[in-house]
């Protein structure tokens, strides 16, 4: 499948590599290709700068957001939450009704250092998933994967032998089946459909507890599991 991953950060890098390893044709979107490739500084979590990462993953295409989206069947939003509406507004011709957009963003405030804080007042008003869906009513937005570390998103067997939970939410039943089937190809088995795109308020609101668990868990990969 042709997939556009929006985002050159640690999430974009991790997902693009996993998608490519699975045989998908992946293009990473960025504002400025040359600037992204020139970035060799590791991030705060020890992930390489995008330029270093891309040298080791040179078969993965890098393009502007617009060119990455063109022709892609699936778009994955792995950008800074504050920027996604502007990115999509700049590529209106790609916001068509044949596109499914996975949104995994969380609106985190990094201004006071680590751990970041969730901008809860914004989520209560309207989550990122809803804001994207409202701004681009034709695109089928599916909120998923935002409640776990990026290392787990397409590698669920890292946690509890693959038995942890991933939530999905969105207005299109067809798009949710499409995304569920896509997630299953990576080993997800416990996929819970929370309903329409308003459910992204709930999954974005899980972040405070996820962030509190982070220092407690240390280096151990973890995720939520709905026991029943
Ligand atoms: N880290 C995790 O494990 C994890 C888990 C769950 C959810 N998430 C969510 O995943 C998303 C990606 O996280 P990340 O740490 O990989 O990346 P990030 O640093 O939050 O974002 C990087 C991307 O955002 C773009 N960007 C930043 N400011 C922009 C602006 N003003 N205009 C346009 N684009 C802008 C960058 O574009 P350029 O390439 O042009 O610089 C880059 O591609 C976030 O929403 C985060 O909350 C992360």
């Amino acid at each position: 499948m042709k997939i556009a991953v929006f985002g050159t950060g640690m999430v974009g890098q991790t997902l693009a590599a996993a998608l490519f390893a699975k045989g998908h044709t992946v293009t990473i979107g960025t504002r400025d290709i040359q600037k992204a490739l020139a970035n060799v500084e590791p991030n705060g979590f020890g992930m390489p700068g995008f330029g270093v990462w891309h040298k080791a993953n040179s078969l993965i295409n890098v393009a502007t957001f617009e060119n990455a989206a063109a022709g892609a069947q699936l778009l994955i939003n792995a950008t800074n939450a504050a920027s996604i509406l502007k990115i999509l507004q700049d590529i209106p011709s790609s916001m068509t009704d044949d596109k499914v957009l996975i949104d995994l963003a969380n609106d985190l405030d990094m201004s006071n250092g680590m751990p970041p804080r969730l901008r809860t007042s914004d989520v209560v008003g309207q989550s990122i998933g809803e804001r994207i869906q409202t701004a681009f009513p034709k695109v089928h937005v599916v909120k998923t994967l935002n409640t776990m570390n990026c290392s787990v998103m397409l590698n669920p067997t890292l946690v509890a032998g693959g038995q942890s939970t991933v939530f999905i939410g969105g207005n299109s039943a067809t798009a949710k089946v499409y995304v569920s089937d896509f997630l299953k190809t990576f080993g997800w088995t416990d996929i819970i459909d929370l309903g329409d795109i308003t459910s992204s308020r709930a999954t974005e609101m899980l972040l405070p507890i996820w962030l509190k668990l982070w220092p407690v868990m240390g280096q151990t990969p973890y995720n939520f599991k709905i026991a029943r």
Side-chain angles (χ1 to χ4, degrees):
M1 193 193 324
K2 279 183 102 173
I3 303 176
V5 176
F6 290 170
T8 52
M10 65 185 289
V11 182
Q13 292 175 26
T14 305
L15 298 191
L19 293 164
F20 182 78
K22 201 83 178 161
H24 295 291
T25 303
V26 187
T27 304
I28 292 198
T30 180
R31 284 170 287 183
D32 183 333
I33 301 167
Q34 293 317 318
K35 197 172 166 194
L37 292 174
N39 176 9
V40 293
E41 292 302 315
N43 74 3
F45 305 102
M47 291 287 280
F50 185 74
V52 176
W53 176 86
H54 192 255
K55 274 210 168 89
N57 294 273
S58 56
L59 293 177
I60 296 178
N61 310 309
V62 188
T64 60
F65 289 117
E66 181 169 27
N67 288 339
Q73 292 142 283
L74 179 64
L75 314 178
I76 300 181
N77 172 31
T79 67
N80 169 296
S83 51
I84 186 60
L85 288 181
K86 167 86 175 80
I87 291 169
L88 299 181
Q89 275 153 6
D90 288 345
I91 56 169
S93 62
S94 293
M95 296 298 102
T96 48
D97 59 8
D98 58 345
K99 291 278 197 297
V100 173
L101 187 150
I102 288 179
D103 172 43
L104 52 81
N106 292 307
D107 202 355
L108 300 181
D109 175 3
M110 308 274 188
S111 61
N112 289 314
M114 301 304 280
R117 287 207 229 145
L118 183 74
R119 288 185 228 272
T120 40
S121 56
D122 288 356
V123 178
V124 170
Q126 225 191 27
S127 60
I128 305 161
E130 289 171 280
R131 279 182 255 161
I132 298 172
Q133 186 64 85
T134 303
F136 303 96
K138 286 187 180 164
V139 173
H140 306 294
V141 181
V142 177
K143 188 82 191 189
T144 188
L145 296 173
N146 64 308
T147 55
M148 64 197 72
N149 185 272
C150 58
S151 60
V152 181
M153 292 176 183
L154 297 180
N155 191 7
T157 52
L158 263 187
V159 178
Q163 298 303 304
S164 65
T165 302
V166 61
F167 303 106
I168 60 168
N171 294 344
S172 163
T174 312
K176 284 189 288 187
V177 170
Y178 179 81
V179 171
S180 291
D181 289 346
F182 170 76
L183 293 175
K184 285 175 192 166
T185 67
F186 288 90
W188 283 106
T189 55
D190 192 21
I191 303 170
I192 299 184
D193 183 346
L194 295 175
D196 68 16
I197 196 63
T198 61
S199 64
S200 55
R201 291 184 196 184
T203 60
E204 291 176 31
M205 292 279 267
L206 274 177
L207 257 288
I209 179 69
W210 192 95
L211 291 166
K212 280 288 179 196
L213 284 164
W214 190 4
V216 178
M217 293 295 155
Q219 296 303 310
T220 307
Y222 62 96
N223 188 19
F224 295 107
K225 169 70 187 169
I226 301 304
R228 65 276 212 198

